[in-house]
Each structure stands twice: as structure tokens, then as C-alpha cells.
């Protein structure tokens, strides 16, 4: 069987067999936008927003189909871990981060003292969110949020954010002309959603404004405040890169299994040369994360890794923030690099992979094109039963193997 596995890895296949169209139809509500807007304005008024703010904010606003297209397109394509990572933590971004870190160190040190967040973590978030403030988004936030609040898919969430955006204008924190951001309504150099702006933004330079566009003291202190409230563990690292032996039980990277370093070491985990583990982290339980397949990098992650995920619920994003922070303070690159032939898997192909697993009797819920924990768990079981490293990584190669292994 192992021979078969290796042989299949070597076969290059070009057939495409799956054609189900997955583009999300725009979920148009029963009422027109104008009808929806009338009732939303009433709600806003009842929440204490002034008529003046409401009228000026919605003046000429209509739903933007482009926003809905961006919202539904987001999950259609998946880049591989390496494709994402090399873009997110490029050499130029590391260099720019180091410059900002050096220049702002006195201010950053004060913020670390106050909120417990390491300076390099704050700088790394800025790097990931807006390339250190160089691109904060140009879309009118009220239009984007109104479009997404009118759409049925995530109506509740975006209605609340739209209301928060109106509050920001009403309180005079931000003026309407300034209200530009990402297509999803995130604003400022740190890309806060309006509700987070309301809750966590700080006027650190005492000019009477909470300015997340232009005031670096306001921006960095607000981020520190936010991360502290999210539960950042002071004086704890976020993760450490590790090495795994060839015959490791890769299914231990299941998002649940948790051990201290010593226990992981008993299972064959070693420390990669890229980073030393701090003394105080050795007793703290850690989970094993394999963001790519079993040949890719491996990390033992601690609580702060999950705090980064609370900011943006993506493993790749959280690893990129932490790794960029490490590089900013001079740590060396990861011990692994992007392999040749690293190929992205499409959403359609994930559906196909899920359907093949379901047909073989594995339980993973619906074939929805999202490789969540159930899909990964089912894939690990499949891999174990076929004597492959059970990394649960839904790669294009894995799909090829399952396609050509239809009988077993
Ligand atoms: Ca200020």
C-alpha cells in the first residue's frame, strides 16, 4: 500500500471531473433596499443616533453588488499555506516592520508596559492588516455595511456594525468623509470593525480624537487595549517551531490534543533551530499545528496564538502575525521552505474530495467546500487506513490519490 501511495504521488493527472457551480447566489431579501433602509433608520433613531447623522450618512446610498460579489467570492479559492505565507511575510514586509519597530521603540515599550503586548506583535498586526498603514481601504464604509446588512447572509452581524459606524459619526470620532475602509467595513490602520472602534479605541495623544488613521499613538494603544481585552497572556510566547520524526503520529495535530513540551518530546517532537523555547513556556500545555502537510512546518502553539485568532479566525493569519513578529526582532526564517509543485486546491476540488470521502463511508457532514475540522478528521482516518501520514491536509495531491483509489 505504501508503494501504491508513492506511485500515486508520482503520477501527474490532468483530468477534471467535477463541474458543480458553487458561486453563491446573492441572497436578496423580500423587501427592496429602500424598504429595508426605512426600517433600519427607525431602529437607528431608536438607538439614539441623531436624525442629522442618519440622513447625511445614507444620503445617496444604494446597495453595491460588487461588495456582495467580494463577500461570496472570498471562499471560492484557497491558496496553499506557502502561497499565503510568502506573500504575508515577505522580506520587504519584514524589513519595513524592523524599521517601524526601531523608530517607535520608546513608544512601543510604554504600550507593552501598559497592556502587556510585545512591541513586535503590535507592529506585525499593522503589517498584516494594512502593510503598516500604507493601505487602509478606499470604500465608503456606510455603503459597504448597508449592502451587507441588507443582504440576508450575515444580516445581524453587519446591521450591528452599521449601527456602530453611525455611532462613530454621531459621537464625532470620525467624520463621514473619513469613513472609508475595506469592503467588509474595517477601518483605520489596524482595520477595526466599527464596534471594536467604539469599544477599544483610545485617544492616547490627548487631542480629543480617537484617530485610527493618522495618530500612531492612538492606533498602537488601541491595538494594545484590544489585544489585552481579548485575553493576551503577558510574558508568554505565541508559538515555537518544532520538528517531527518521519514516523510521527500526525493525527495528534488535531486542534485538541494538548501536552507540555516534555510530553511532546517523549512523542518524538524536537525543537527547530529557528527559535528557542523560553524557560517559562516549557511547562505550559501546547497544541501542535501543521498548517501545511506533514512535510511542512510544525508549531507548538500557546494561548496567545488563539488570541491572535480571535482578531482574525484563521490559522494562516495567526501564524503569519506571530512569525512576522519573530522576524522583526531578528529571529531566523523557518526551517522549511515552499516545496516545488505546491499547488492550490479550489473549493470545487474540496467538494469533490469531501464527496469521495462520504462515498467511502467517512462521516464529515455535508460536502460544502470548506475543509473544517470534520473534513480534516475524516481525511486523517482515510490516511491512517491507507498507511499514509495522517496530516489531514486537503491538498490537490491528496485529491488525486483518493480519485485513483476509488475502490478502497
Ligand atoms: Ca488622538
Amino acid at each position: 500500500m505504501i508503494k501504491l501511495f508513492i506511485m500515486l504521488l508520482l503520477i501527474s493527472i490532468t483530468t477534471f471531473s467535477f463541474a458543480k457551480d458553487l458561486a453563491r447566489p446573492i441572497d436578496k431579501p423580500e423587501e427592496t433596499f429602500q424598504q429595508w433602509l426605512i426600517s433600519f433608520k427607525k431602529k437607528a433613531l431608536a438607538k439614539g443616533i441623531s436624525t442629522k447623522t442618519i440622513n447625511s450618512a445614507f444620503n445617496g446610498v444604494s446597495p453595491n453588488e460588487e461588495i456582495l460579489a467580494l463577500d461570496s467570492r472570498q471562499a471560492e479559492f484557497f491558496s496553499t499555506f506557502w502561497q499565503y505565507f510568502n506573500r504575508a511575510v515577505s522580506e520587504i514586509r519584514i524589513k519595513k516592520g524592523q524599521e517601524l519597530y526601531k523608530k517607535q521603540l520608546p513608544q512601543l515599550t510604554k504600550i507593552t508596559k501598559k497592556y502587556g503586548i510585545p512591541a513586535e506583535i503590535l507592529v506585525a498586526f499593522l503589517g498584516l492588516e494594512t502593510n503598516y498603514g500604507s493601505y487602509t481601504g478606499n470604500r465608503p464604509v456606510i455603503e459597504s455595511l448597508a449592502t451587507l446588512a441588507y443582504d440576508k447572509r450575515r444580516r445581524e452581524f453587519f446591521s450591528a456594525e452599521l449601527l456602530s459606524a453611525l455611532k462613530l459619526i454621531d459621537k464625532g470620532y470620525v467624520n463621514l468623509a473619513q469613513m472609508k475602509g475595506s469592503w467588509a467595513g474595517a477601518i483605520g490602520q489596524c482595520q477595526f470593525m466599527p464596534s471594536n472602534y467604539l469599544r477599544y479605541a483610545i485617544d492616547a495623544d490627548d487631542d480629543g480624537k480617537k484617530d485610527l488613521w493618522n495618530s500612531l499613538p492612538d492606533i498602537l494603544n488601541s491595538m494594545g487595549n484590544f489585544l489585552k481585552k481579548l485575553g493576551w497572556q503577558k510574558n508568554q510566547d505565541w508559538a515555537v517551531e518544532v520538528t517531527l520524526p518521519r514516523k510521527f503520529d500526525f493525527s495528534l495535530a488535531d486542534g485538541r490534543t494538548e501536552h507540555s513540551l516534555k510530553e511532546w518530546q517523549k512523542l518524538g517532537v524536537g525543537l527547530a533551530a529557528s527559535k528557542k523555547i523560553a524557560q517559562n513556556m516549557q511547562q505550559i500545555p501546547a497544541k501542535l499545528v501543521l498548517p501545511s502537510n506533514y512535510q511542512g512546518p510544525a508549531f507548538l502553539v500557546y494561548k496567545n496564538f488563539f488570541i491572535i485568532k480571535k482578531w482574525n479566525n484563521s490559522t494562516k493569519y495567526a501564524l503569519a502575525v506571530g512569525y512576522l513578529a519573530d522576524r522583526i526582532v531578528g529571529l531566523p526564517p523557518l526551517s522549511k521552505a515552499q516545496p516545488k509543485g505546491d499547488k492550490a486546491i479550489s473549493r470545487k476540488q474540496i467538494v469533490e474530495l469531501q464527496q469521495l470521502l462520504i462515498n467511502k463511508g467517512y462521516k464529515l457532514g455535508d460536502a460544502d467546500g470548506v475543509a473544517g475540522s470534520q473534513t480534516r478528521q475524516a481525511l486523517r482516518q482515510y490516511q491512517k487506513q491507507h498507511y499514509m501520514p495522517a496530516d489531514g491536509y486537503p491538498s490537490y495531491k491528496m485529491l488525486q490519490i483518493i480519485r485513483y483509489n476509488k475502490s478502497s
Side-chain angles (χ1 to χ4, degrees), residues 192-241:
F192 274 13
M193 288 304 286
S195 61
N196 288 337
Y197 202 127
L198 272 179
R199 269 184 231 132
Y200 306 112
I202 281 173
D203 173 21
D205 58 11
D206 290 324
D207 69 347
K209 282 185 287 183
K210 299 174 178 184
D211 183 354
L212 299 190
W213 278 272
N214 307 302
S215 163
L216 208 50
D218 286 8
I219 293 159
L220 293 169
N221 277 275
S222 300
M223 294 166 74
N225 184 35
F226 183 36
L227 285 163
K228 188 184 177 184
K229 299 275 162 58
L230 288 179
W232 190 271
Q233 304 293 295
K234 207 176 164 181
N235 299 323
Q236 281 199 17
D237 207 345
W238 66 281
V240 64
E241 193 197 354

